[in-house]
Amino acid sequence: MRPSWDEYYMEMAEVAKKRSTCNRRQVGAVIVKDQRILASGYNGAPSGLPHCSETGCIRQKLNVPSGERHELCRGLHAEQNAIIQAALHGVPIEGSAIYVTHKPCVICTKMMINAGIKKLIYQGDYPDSLSEEMLKEAGILVEKYTKDKES
């Protein structure tokens, strides 16, 4: 059976997350507009730098709870990498949708707002109430992905 668009793009985000080098949570993201994939990303260290899988996790060492102190991390988030890849290659993403394997943190949310992303489809939850509040304020359409849902 042919997958729905939502299923197709979320499966692509799941594939992207397999490249993640984060020791705590693997995340993938795919930016889509007009049924075309514009960019993808996964969480990991900046290009050319050692990954957390090699150096160890700063956040684990300091017992930083999930959803807090995002600046204490070597890695970029999947959403950040997807937005950066689009910018690096001159791909406009204004008015697009982003499919993410986990709900975004507030930093990624702010980047999505300023990048002009209009819709977020996410699968797993993430503990960041400020992110939820800002998504609402910005008028970004937010949907939790369920495999049974067709689009």
Side-chain angles (χ1 to χ4, degrees), residues 69-140:
R69 305 290 313 271
H70 301 290
E71 75 279 7
L72 295 176
C73 180
R74 293 182 59 79
L76 291 145
H77 291 184
E79 303 93 325
Q80 294 168 352
N81 270 325
I83 291 167
I84 290 166
Q85 286 305 307
L88 188 63
H89 296 288
V91 178
I93 59 173
E94 186 173 11
S96 64
I98 188 166
Y99 288 78
V100 190
T101 58
H102 291 79
K103 199 171 204 177
C105 73
V106 69
I107 295 170
C108 291
T109 293
K110 291 186 281 188
M111 289 181 69
M112 289 166 36
I113 292 166
N114 278 3
I117 292 173
K118 297 298 179 197
K119 185 176 182 181
L120 162 67
I121 302 91
Y122 72 96
Q123 191 167 12
D125 290 318
Y126 187 75
D128 195 326
S129 57
L130 184 55
S131 171
E132 290 180 29
E133 184 180 318
M134 292 184 85
L135 287 163
K136 283 180 189 173
E137 284 180 45
I140 293 178

Side-chain angles (χ1 to χ4, degrees), residues 136-149:
K136 283 180 189 173
E137 284 180 45
I140 293 178
L141 189 68
V142 178
E143 293 179 9
K144 183 161 185 175
Y145 171 79
T146 59
K147 197 166 183 154
D148 299 332
K149 184 179 169 194

Side-chain angles (χ1 to χ4, degrees), residues 32-60:
V32 176
K33 186 173 183 181
D34 299 327
Q35 306 298 28
R36 300 288 180 254
I37 296 172
L38 303 178
S40 65
Y42 53 88
N43 54 335
S47 297
L49 298 184
H51 295 283
C52 300
S53 56
E54 301 167 88
T55 63
C57 177
I58 297 166
R59 293 171 59 82
Q60 277 180 332

